[in-house]
Amino acid sequence: MSRFHEKKFPGESEAYRQARDRLLQAELELRRKVGEVAALRQSLPLGGAVASDYVFEELDSASGRVVEVRLSRLIPEGKSTLLLYNFMYAPDWDKACPLCTSLADGWEGNAAYVAEHAGFALVAKAPIRKFVEWGRQRGWERLRLLSSEKNSFNADYNAEFESSYGSQHPVMHVFTRRDGRLHHFWSSEVLYCKLDSDPRHLDTTWPLWNLLDFTPEGRGGDWYPKYEK
């Protein structure tokens, strides 16, 4: 009988079951650790108040016109939180970052569910029509796309600086509104760490890597998605 449950799969050996139980224990510990990390994140004190109500550009789907939208207006009525992802796509790039594209491909199907809890948008430095066209080619219909081409948001929030990785950097930000003021709450910072600069630093939100981790071959150390679906 298994240490954790009584289920077995066809043809498995005792050696397999013992090894699987060791793995199961590690999986349970990991799940608990994920919960602990989430609790630490959720208990963060408020970050800095947002000094500038940044103006982004967005393409109005009904009229086809470029319109302006302020950061504070990205939080839906009745909600208090915004997830804003810095998508790597510079104005002079022919194509957007393939990793960010893969990540957004996975988010496309869940965007409507996220919207039940918080505002959610992707912001790129590329001009808004260029960014929207990239999304159209990918079949994105639910993701909200913005351009920071005419503001300093990327630079101010550590998503735009020169390094060996490039000038654009992928960062997930969370902002929250408290007592009528907008505050920074959290941003992904693992990318900045010299000991762990893997560009897949948001893999907990990335279905691709989690699925590959289930396989005997794993995700590999040097494979990354290309543009093809």
Side-chain angles (χ1 to χ4, degrees), residues 1 10 21 26 39 49 73 85 120 135 146 157 159 179-180 187 203 216:
M1 183 177 70
D21 281 351
R73 302 296 295 174
Y85 177 70
F120 182 35
L146 308 170
Y157 280 89
D179 299 323
S187 290
D203 65 354

Side-chain angles (χ1 to χ4, degrees), residues 77 107 195:
E77 189 71 28
W107 286 339
L195 296 179

Side-chain angles (χ1 to χ4, degrees), residues 7-177:
K7 303 296 183 185
K8 291 189 175 182
F9 291 92
E12 69 177 36
S13 65
E14 183 59 26
Y16 173 89
R17 178 46 48 189
Q18 290 178 5
R20 182 65 183 93
D21 281 351
R22 289 193 295 272
L23 173 60
L24 182 55
Q25 182 174 9
E27 290 173 337
L28 291 169
E29 292 172 354
L30 175 61
R31 189 174 67 178
R32 295 188 192 102
K33 189 64 178 178
V34 168
E36 291 174 7
V37 171
L40 285 172
R41 184 183 300 116
Q42 291 153 16
S43 65
L44 281 171
L46 282 179
V50 177
S52 173
D53 196 4
Y54 297 93
V55 177
F56 299 93
E57 290 191 332
E58 185 173 25
L59 192 66
D60 181 71
S61 58
S63 66
R65 295 186 300 108
V66 175
V67 297
E68 295 182 341
V69 56
R70 292 188 175 275
L71 180 67
S72 59
R73 302 296 295 174
L74 297 176
I75 300 178
E77 189 71 28
K79 304 292 189 297
S80 61
T81 303
L82 168 68
L83 292 100
L84 189 60
Y85 177 70
N86 269 116
F87 189 103
M88 294 176 61
Y89 196 8
D92 59 343
W93 291 5
D94 293 332
K95 295 182 177 181
C97 167
L99 276 77
C100 288
T101 299
S102 169
L103 185 54
D105 285 344
W107 286 339
E108 163 68 15
N110 287 291
Y113 301 111
V114 177
E116 296 179 14
H117 301 271
F120 182 35
L122 278 55
V123 57
K125 199 68 175 178
I128 187 58
R129 291 188 185 279
K130 186 174 184 177
F131 193 20
V132 169
E133 175 58 22
W134 183 258
R136 187 195 65 77
Q137 294 176 28
R138 301 301 302 177
W140 300 341
E141 297 179 351
R142 300 177 179 88
L143 292 172
R144 188 171 188 178
L145 306 182
L146 308 170
S147 172
S148 57
E149 182 186 21
K150 298 178 181 178
N151 67 39
S152 61
F153 176 82
N154 289 28
D156 293 347
Y157 280 89
N158 298 323
E160 186 176 64
F161 53 89
E162 292 297 332
S163 73
S164 60
Y165 193 65
S167 62
Q168 303 294 304
H169 294 264
V171 185
M172 176 68 82
H173 309 280
V174 179
F175 295 91
T176 187
R177 185 159 46 213

